[in-house]
Amino acid sequence: MSDKEQLTAMGFDADRIEWALRATKRSGLQPALDHILANGDKAVPPPDEDDEEDDAPPADGAEAKSIKCSECGKVFRSSATASFHAEKSGHQEFEESTEEIKPLTEDEKKAKLEELRAKLAEKRAAASQEDAKAQKANEAIRRKAGQDTGRLKEEMKIKEAQKDVERKKQEKLEDARARAAIKAQIEADKRERAAKAAADKAAREGIAQPSAAQPAAPARPAAGIKSSDNPETRLQIRLSVGGAPLIKTFPSDSTLIDVAEFVASENISYSVDTINFATTFPRKSYSRDEMRKSLKDNGLTPSAVLMASQ
């Protein structure tokens, strides 16, 4: 098997093999192999740019057959192997030598080849271990990133749940405040109706009204008469379009249609045909059929608060 075939069998590129054979003047397998190893990180130059060995004969006129390191005494077959030695050892002093290096025997060549293969296998194993370490480190980074993402999502869920609880608490608080306001309004309406009834009765009977310094006590309903049987119904009507609420006292036998006509006459934003009434306490919306019923039949007597909307 030729030197080129053996180098090809080792897995080297054809261009790099040709370069090594040219540079070492085809002086054997070992010089070519040394050249490949020494110049493995360099680009292959064109054939006309190959470095030529300086084969000038030594001073005594004898033919130079090798290159010798003056610092350690090692003898090299070619300038390529001498350069490789210089790079590895740092030695700088070389001289031509007439000492001839015997070519490697077949057994030596095989041993060198096996040594090279072992070194290459060792390098590949080391590279494989480094790759495995890098992959393991990358996997650990990915797992940590996934855990961080999951933790962030969980924290966001907890925060959203807390916000939902606070929102519900606020809604309950606002609802309680609204009920309290409605209840207070109802009580104020009752007191106002009682005062008006007392004033009307005093006017009918010719009784003098109490002075401002001594306010009259709220009048009590006549014995045996229920509040729901009151002939008058006082309504406070709150408008969805905004503005001050409308307050008016209607006969208890008036219908919600009558109330709608009153609202439409007071605010042009409302139409009798499309207006809707509702109460918030208790919560109720009145249908078109109920609009035709009296205030008493709709349970609004003696007073109520209505919400008007279109």
Side-chain angles (χ1 to χ4, degrees), residues 118-182:
K119 289 182 179 180
L120 291 175
E122 184 178 352
K123 288 183 178 180
R124 291 193 186 101
S128 178
Q129 290 179 356
E130 290 297 325
D131 290 342
K133 289 180 181 179
Q135 291 178 0
K136 187 175 180 180
N138 291 336
E139 182 62 26
I141 292 173
R142 285 193 294 270
R143 285 199 300 269
K144 187 176 184 304
Q147 292 172 356
D148 292 342
T149 302
R151 185 174 63 255
L152 289 175
K153 289 182 178 179
E154 189 64 27
E155 290 176 356
M156 289 178 65
K157 287 182 180 179
I158 293 174
K159 289 181 179 179
E160 287 297 327
Q162 291 174 345
K163 288 181 180 179
D164 189 55
V165 170
E166 291 298 326
R167 185 167 52 251
K168 289 181 178 179
K169 286 182 179 179
Q170 187 64 26
E171 289 176 354
K172 288 181 179 179
L173 180 61
E174 291 176 356
D175 192 44
R177 288 174 179 173
R179 288 197 300 269
I182 292 171

Side-chain angles (χ1 to χ4, degrees), residues 41-152:
D41 57 346
K42 299 178 181 178
V44 178
D48 58 350
E49 295 182 8
D50 286 345
D51 294 332
E52 298 292 339
E53 292 183 320
D54 184 7
D55 292 332
D60 58 3
E63 182 182 359
K65 296 181 179 180
S66 60
I67 299 175
K68 183 177 181 180
C69 177
S70 302
E71 298 183 35
C72 66
K74 289 186 178 181
V75 181
F76 304 97
R77 194 183 305 274
S78 65
S79 60
T81 54
S83 298
F84 180 71
H85 172 72
E87 292 178 2
K88 294 295 184 181
S89 64
H91 296 169
Q92 300 295 326
E93 300 296 330
F94 293 87
E95 60 182 337
E96 292 181 333
S97 173
T98 58
E99 183 179 349
E100 183 178 2
I101 300 176
K102 295 181 180 180
L104 296 175
T105 64
E106 290 298 323
D107 290 340
E108 289 174 338
K109 290 180 180 178
K110 290 180 180 179
K112 287 282 185 181
L113 181 60
E114 290 299 326
E115 181 181 356
L116 177 60
R117 287 174 176 168
K119 289 182 179 180
L120 291 175
E122 184 178 352
K123 288 183 178 180
R124 291 193 186 101
S128 178
Q129 290 179 356
E130 290 297 325
D131 290 342
K133 289 180 181 179
Q135 291 178 0
K136 187 175 180 180
N138 291 336
E139 182 62 26
I141 292 173
R142 285 193 294 270
R143 285 199 300 269
K144 187 176 184 304
Q147 292 172 356
D148 292 342
T149 302
R151 185 174 63 255
L152 289 175

Side-chain angles (χ1 to χ4, degrees), residues 170-227:
Q170 187 64 26
E171 289 176 354
K172 288 181 179 179
L173 180 61
E174 291 176 356
D175 192 44
R177 288 174 179 173
R179 288 197 300 269
I182 292 171
K183 186 175 180 180
Q185 184 63 47
I186 291 173
E187 293 298 327
D189 292 343
K190 287 181 179 179
R191 289 192 297 271
E192 185 178 347
R193 288 196 303 272
K196 186 176 183 300
D200 292 343
K201 182 178 179 182
R204 288 194 301 271
E205 296 178 356
I207 300 175
Q209 292 296 307
S211 64
Q214 190 178 7
R220 297 181 181 180
I225 299 177
K226 298 180 180 179
S227 297

Side-chain angles (χ1 to χ4, degrees), residues 263-300:
V263 173
S265 67
E266 294 292 325
N267 194 307
I268 60 174
S269 300
Y270 293 89
S271 171
V272 176
D273 297 329
T274 58
I275 193 170
N276 294 305
F277 290 119
T279 56
T280 57
F281 189 77
R283 196 178 298 275
K284 176 180 174 59
S285 296
Y286 294 92
S287 65
R288 302 313 296 181
D289 290 338
E290 290 173 323
M291 294 282 286
R292 299 183 181 88
K293 293 181 180 180
S294 67
L295 301 180
K296 178 180 178 181
D297 292 339
N298 279 315
L300 301 174

Side-chain angles (χ1 to χ4, degrees), residues 198-271:
D200 292 343
K201 182 178 179 182
R204 288 194 301 271
E205 296 178 356
I207 300 175
Q209 292 296 307
S211 64
Q214 190 178 7
R220 297 181 181 180
I225 299 177
K226 298 180 180 179
S227 297
S228 59
D229 292 334
N230 196 306
E232 293 182 341
T233 299
R234 184 176 183 277
L235 296 180
Q236 181 183 118
I237 306 164
R238 298 180 181 177
L239 309 179
S240 60
V241 296
L246 303 177
I247 300 174
K248 183 174 175 60
T249 300
F250 295 88
S252 296
D253 57 357
S254 299
T255 65
L256 283 173
I257 297 294
D258 298 328
V259 179
E261 291 176 349
F262 165 71
V263 173
S265 67
E266 294 292 325
N267 194 307
I268 60 174
S269 300
Y270 293 89
S271 171

